[in-house]
Amino acid sequence: MNLKHIPKRSCVSCKGKFSKGDLLRLVYDKHSEEVSLDIKQRFQSRGAYICSDEKCYNKMFKKGVLLRFLGSNNLSSEIISHIVKERT
Ligand SMILES: [Zn+2]
């Protein structure tokens, strides 16, 4: 067996393990002081990964998950609609 190593990341809501490509990465943008979507996964700052399960999104938005992971809960409605769009 010679399987390629695929880095796994955990979803911040369900704690499930997924390959990076199956998750969306959220980062805290110091400049805008808002949580932002890191589509190209190039932000160096600490990120939170979220899987494509609707339940996980709802939980993330409602509970203090982002506050715990990113130190901010400051999600603009623009970002939220972007996330929902990315997901579908
Ligand atoms: Zn999840």
Side-chain angles (χ1 to χ4, degrees), residues 11-16 18 50-53 56:
C11 168
V12 291
S13 271
C14 67
K15 312 285 187 241
F18 301 88
I50 185 91
C51 77
S52 55
D53 192 328
C56 288

Side-chain angles (χ1 to χ4, degrees), residues 19-60:
S19 65
K20 257 177 136 179
D22 293 334
L23 297 163
L24 286 177
R25 186 167 188 254
L26 294 162
V27 292
Y28 178 65
D29 188 333
K30 279 187 204 126
H31 300 289
S32 65
E33 298 186 332
E34 277 180 0
V35 174
S36 144
L37 197 55
D38 187 12
I39 293 175
K40 301 222 166 78
Q41 309 207 344
R42 63 191 155 79
F43 272 77
Q44 292 299 312
S45 52
R46 194 177 172 197
Y49 290 88
I50 185 91
C51 77
S52 55
D53 192 328
E54 201 183 341
K55 274 181 269 171
C56 288
Y57 278 85
N58 292 336
K59 190 177 156 194
M60 180 183 79

